[in-house]
Amino acid sequence: MALSLPCSHVSAAESDAVDVVHYWVSKSEARALDVFRDAWGRAGNRWIDLPMENKVAVQRAVSDRVANGYAPSVMQWNANEGSRELPEMGIVLDLEEVAAADHWRDVLPATVLDRISYQGKIYFAPTSIHAENWLWTSKALFDRIGLPVPRTWEEIFVAADRIKRDGHVALALGGGRWEISLIFNNIMHHKLGSEGYARIIRGDASMVRDPRMADALAMLRRLSQYVEPAQARIGKSWADATAAVGSGHAGMQFMGDWAKGELMTHGYAVDKDFQCSLVPGTEIAYFMVIDAFAFPTTNREASIEVQRDFARMVMDRENQVAFSSVKGSLPVRTDVDPNSLDRCGRLGLEMIAEKSGVSAQSMAMSAQVSEGFIAILANFFDDDRLSVEAVQEQLYAILSKG
């Protein structure tokens, strides 16, 4: 996203408040954000909430405000490859003073440090680590039908057939096109292996023409027969699909671990109402997404101090644990007690400790390429008239542009 930020006088900061632009709007996301809101309020500060529908809406809103000279104090941002353009252009505050004083480098994993830094300085306050390659299953539905938690792709398809025959939705899916790309990322890793997956998400167009990529697309097409039709998914969110798994109205969902936060917010418990496992073929990887806050630059020292205080609050160890326990994520700090995590969280922590983290597709590709990649996959998933070969060429073209 191209931004041009003049030195701005942020009205919210002038009135000792922060205006926070974010897209955490589901039930669990809002409750998790309350951890930071409440901590900020207890310190005697004010928070002006500016929720947006999604990541694209946040980028658009921030860009508009920046162009008009009144950037927000705080903005939610993914710490990914593309995020480095913000410090490169000099439009976000560097947090080096806070990071050095609070010893961030001693408690953050190397992968996280790399993503929040630019030319040796830290620019983002990370909130949590998510992973995208999780499979969530309804314990009630699986127990009733007599199905084990799938450990292979063949078992996934066997379970899907049984659940569908039983009159239920086998694979829960909302209306977000990105949800389809999450499914496909798992399939890509399964079919192409770690090296092939990494080459694809880093933009190696030649890999798209690999025969294994055709196999991956064919598997995605096969999965499309187990979801509700596209028309029925309009207006439904990923959180709606997650709730269907928790209630036993749907059998499975491929979704990041934010789904766990949503399930728990609805009162469901791991190993009682739902079960978690890494998607078959991705057990050696952890498709990491690093959520963070960034702070647009201002020329007022008082505003800068407020932004630094906010960054310090986000990285507070107790706030990190409390936030992740609701969000379904892992704290970014390595000095947390693993006993405070549930089974799913401990499994994720083990993956991080074993340095099994790899970038999620959305973290490695530029925003423009990622959006094009997702759109092509979603069209293919919902339109069986599109051939595998045609989609391979469309994907080749979009990656070639990147």
Side-chain angles (χ1 to χ4, degrees):
M1 181 183 71
L3 299 177
S4 176
L5 179 57
C7 287
S8 59
H9 296 270
V10 183
S11 59
E14 288 173 353
S15 60
D16 84 341
V18 291
D19 44 350
V20 183
V21 182
H22 66 89
Y23 56 90
W24 282 327
V25 294
S26 78
K27 189 174 181 180
S28 60
E29 290 168 335
R31 278 190 57 198
L33 196 57
D34 280 342
V35 170
F36 293 141
R37 274 193 283 252
D38 293 346
W40 189 243
R42 287 195 301 272
N45 302 303
R46 294 197 302 122
W47 176 304
I48 299 172
D49 206 50
L50 299 173
M52 300 287 161
E53 181 182 3
N54 52 41
K55 179 165 59 177
V56 174
V58 165
Q59 293 174 342
R60 188 181 302 115
V62 170
S63 184
D64 289 346
R65 287 190 55 168
V66 161
N68 286 289
Y70 66 108
S73 307
V74 183
M75 57 190 188
Q76 181 191 350
W77 215 260
N78 287 134
N80 57 21
E81 293 291 339
S83 65
R84 291 190 176 98
E85 70 182 18
L86 302 182
E88 184 178 18
M89 292 186 290
I91 62 176
V92 288
L93 176 71
D94 86 65
L95 302 173
E96 196 55 37
E97 181 177 309
V98 176
D102 292 357
H103 307 287
W104 287 13
R105 288 180 175 83
D106 295 336
V107 298
L108 291 176
T111 303
V112 174
L113 275 172
D114 178 62
R115 291 304 176 88
I116 65 174
S117 303
Y118 177 72
Q119 294 186 345
K121 290 185 177 182
I122 290 175
Y123 284 87
F124 299 86
T127 63
S128 55
I129 298 172
H130 276 296
E132 292 184 346
N133 54 315
W134 287 93
L135 175 66
W136 307 95
T137 55
S138 167
K139 191 171 188 305
L141 192 51
F142 270 65
D143 285 352
R144 187 169 63 77
I145 299 177
L147 292 167
V149 174
R151 300 299 179 190
T152 67
W153 274 99
E154 189 53 43
E155 289 179 2
I156 287 176
F157 284 111
V158 168
D161 282 330
R162 291 276 305 278
I163 294 167
K164 186 176 180 180
R165 286 201 308 269
D166 203 58
H168 295 278
V169 174
L171 182 59
L173 192 66
R177 295 156 76 88
W178 59 272
E179 298 174 51
I180 295 166
S181 74
L182 292 196
I183 300 173
F184 188 66
N185 293 340
N186 295 306
I187 297 172
M188 275 201 304
H189 193 281
H190 171 61
K191 289 292 187 181
L192 278 72
S194 296
E195 181 183 353
Y197 168 84
R199 286 175 62 182
I200 289 282
I201 67 171
R202 290 172 186 161
D204 185 346
S206 67
M207 281 299 298
V208 172
R209 289 174 169 166
D210 189 295
R212 293 172 297 174
M213 190 65 165
D215 292 342
L217 287 165
M219 182 178 282
L220 181 67
R221 170 64 55 73
R222 184 181 173 189
L223 278 177
S224 69
Q225 66 182 294
Y226 298 109
V227 304
E228 292 180 298
Q231 195 69 24
R233 302 197 310 267
I234 294 175
K236 291 185 179 180
S237 70
W238 66 268
D240 296 324
T242 299
V245 172
S247 67
H249 288 97
M252 298 176 282
Q253 183 185 28
F254 295 92
M255 184 53 60
D257 49 13
W258 48 89
K260 184 183 73 172
E262 194 70 14
L263 287 161
M264 292 189 302
T265 297
H266 283 278
Y268 303 120
V270 62
D271 294 332
K272 177 184 176 185
D273 304 295
F274 67 90
Q275 292 182 308
C276 63
S277 58
L278 293 172
V279 177
T282 74
E283 298 94 340
I284 62 170
Y286 204 64
F287 294 5
M288 288 174 56
V289 176
I290 301 167
D291 284 326
F293 287 114
F295 307 86
T297 52
T298 173
N299 60 356
R300 296 185 71 253
E301 187 60 34
S303 300
I304 293 172
E305 284 307 310
V306 170
Q307 291 172 313
R308 286 172 177 157
D309 286 344
F310 192 97
R312 183 173 286 112
M313 178 273 296
V314 167
M315 274 292 291
D316 176 86
R317 181 164 56 187
E318 291 185 6
N319 291 341
Q320 282 275 320
V321 173
F323 177 84
S324 283
S325 69
V326 180
K327 188 70 163 56
S329 53
L330 291 177
V332 294
R333 298 180 65 113
T334 58
D335 58 348
V336 300
D337 180 4
N339 293 322
S340 65
L341 305 174
D342 59 29
R343 178 175 65 83
C344 310
R346 289 194 298 273
L347 176 56
L349 199 63
E350 289 171 9
M351 297 296 288
I352 300 298
E354 293 170 4
K355 299 181 180 178
S356 300
V358 300
S359 289
Q361 170 256 317
S362 59
M363 296 292 99
M365 291 181 179
S366 70
Q368 183 176 3
V369 172
S370 180
E371 288 169 18
F373 193 85
I374 289 169
I376 291 167
L377 292 172
N379 290 339
F380 173 73
F381 188 84
D382 287 325
D383 186 353
D384 58 13
R385 295 170 299 179
L386 294 173
S387 69
V388 166
E389 295 75 19
V391 170
Q392 279 182 281
E393 291 310 304
Q394 290 175 16
L395 292 172
Y396 181 88
I398 196 72
L399 291 184
S400 296
K401 291 178 182 177

